[in-house]
């Protein structure tokens, strides 16, 4: 690693990592109230590789995580790969694959994914999330309602009397148990490719260095071990790029 690479990622002297608590597969608060999870572990390991101090920039929603990196208030972040976000962020290949699913009320007539976009259904998503971006492009008839964060999707879905909630399978399963009277549709509607990213302004060498780091973390078993350590289900290590 060259001093140029180190300085590319640390213009403030520290590595600032944007951590999104809105996706429980990636990060959440631990018993002490600190951010912990797979993304925090990866950020810590990357700071070690750069031989710099780590500073976490903790947010509660995917859209906010993107915003702080685009604004260069953070040097790296953890995001679902999406072409809209790719205008300003250089993504690595995916390190984790996450399932996106639909949830409905137990007595809902909706039984299959194809029925969600039939008629005038109302679908709740987390504002600025990968599901929001994807469904905004793909749903032709359903109306999209936006909860402030992904963890608030099911509560918003119930409060608004909407037809469908869309989000991370694990989060929806947790909320279904919490509320009762809810069920997930059998099939996922998308697989999210969760990657690391850095502002494109940091240059191609920095982007390539981050991409190699992610491949090393997958190949070494680091990502798989982190998923096990944090008890994460509903996600798998992405294949090598």
């Amino acid at each position: 690693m060259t001093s140029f690479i180190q300085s590319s990622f640390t213009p403030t002297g520290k590595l600032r990592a944007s951590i999104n608590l809105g996706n429980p597969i990636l990060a959440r608060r631990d018993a002490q109230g600190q951010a912990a999870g797979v993304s925090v572990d990866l950020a810590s390991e990357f700071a070690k590789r750069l031989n710099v101090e780590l500073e976490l920039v903790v947010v509660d929603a995917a859209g906010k995580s993107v915003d702080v990196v685009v604004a260069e208030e953070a040097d790296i972040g953890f995001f679902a790969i999406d072409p809209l976000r790719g205008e300003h962020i250089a993504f690595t290949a995916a390190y984790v694959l996450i399932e996106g699913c639909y949830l409905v009320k137990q007595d809902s007539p909706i039984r299959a994914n194809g029925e969600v976009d039939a008629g005038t259904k109302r679908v709740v998503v987390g504002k600025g999330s990968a599901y929001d971006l994807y469904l905004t492009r793909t749903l032709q008839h359903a109306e999209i309602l936006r909860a402030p964060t992904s963890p608030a999707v099911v509560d918003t879905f119930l409060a608004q009397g909407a037809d469908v909630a869309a989000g991370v399978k694990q989060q929806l399963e947790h909320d279904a148990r919490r509320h009762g009277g809810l069920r997930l549709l059998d099939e996922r509607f998308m697989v999210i490719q969760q990657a690391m990213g850095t502002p494109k302004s940091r240059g191609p060498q920095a982007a390539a260095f981050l991409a190699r780091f992610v491949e090393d973390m997958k190949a070494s078993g680091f990502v798989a071990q982190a998923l096990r350590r944090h008890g994460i289900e509903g996600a798998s290590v992405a294949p090598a790029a």
Side-chain angles (χ1 to χ4, degrees):
M1 182 194 66
T2 65
S3 59
F4 173 77
I5 290 294
Q6 186 186 66
S7 62
S8 295
F9 284 107
T10 58
T12 64
K14 298 179 181 180
L15 178 69
R16 300 166 299 170
S18 178
I19 302 296
N20 170 28
L21 299 181
N23 184 337
I25 286 179
L26 301 180
R28 65 188 77 179
R29 297 282 184 189
D30 62 17
Q32 289 72 46
Q34 302 299 311
V38 177
S39 58
V40 178
D41 292 351
L42 283 167
S44 298
E45 191 65 22
F46 191 60
K48 289 179 185 176
R49 184 162 294 196
L50 293 175
N51 194 29
V52 296
E53 184 179 346
L54 175 66
E55 177 184 331
L56 300 182
V57 181
V58 180
V59 297
D60 62 0
K64 295 177 183 178
S65 185
V66 171
D67 289 344
V68 296
V69 173
V70 170
E72 303 208 29
E73 295 167 1
D75 308 300
I76 61 169
F78 301 82
F79 321 99
I81 297 172
D82 185 89
L84 184 62
R85 295 172 176 175
E87 291 180 18
H88 302 288
I89 295 174
F91 288 110
T92 68
Y95 64 90
V96 160
L97 303 178
I98 302 172
E99 293 181 291
C101 291
Y102 290 129
L103 175 142
V104 297
K105 294 175 183 174
Q106 194 67 50
D107 60 358
S108 171
I110 299 173
R111 294 288 169 181
N113 289 357
E115 299 169 19
V116 170
D117 200 27
T120 55
K121 307 289 192 305
R122 296 192 300 159
V123 181
V124 180
V125 298
K127 182 179 179 181
S129 67
Y131 313 101
D132 183 2
L133 299 176
Y134 175 78
L135 294 176
T136 295
R137 289 195 298 269
T138 58
L139 294 182
Q140 301 297 312
H141 306 288
E143 177 186 0
I144 295 178
L145 307 179
R146 293 174 175 86
T149 66
S150 291
V153 163
V154 172
D155 288 339
T156 303
F157 158 76
L158 293 171
Q160 295 288 331
D163 301 286
V164 180
V168 176
K169 181 179 181 180
Q170 186 188 47
Q171 179 75 54
L172 295 180
E173 288 175 333
H174 170 78
D175 289 336
R177 291 191 295 269
R178 179 163 61 93
H179 288 284
L182 304 173
R183 60 181 169 83
L184 270 69
L185 299 191
D186 292 337
E187 297 179 56
R188 65 195 185 194
F189 67 85
M190 70 179 297
V191 175
I192 292 179
Q193 300 183 74
Q194 201 71 37
M196 291 182 70
T198 192
K200 281 188 172 179
S201 61
R202 302 302 170 86
Q205 288 180 299
F209 186 84
L210 186 61
R212 287 194 299 271
F213 169 77
V214 166
E215 294 309 306
D216 289 349
M217 293 299 97
K218 290 188 292 187
S220 69
F222 184 96
V223 176
Q225 291 165 10
L227 290 171
R228 288 195 296 270
R229 182 166 56 251
H230 295 288
I232 300 303
E233 300 176 356
S236 59
V237 180

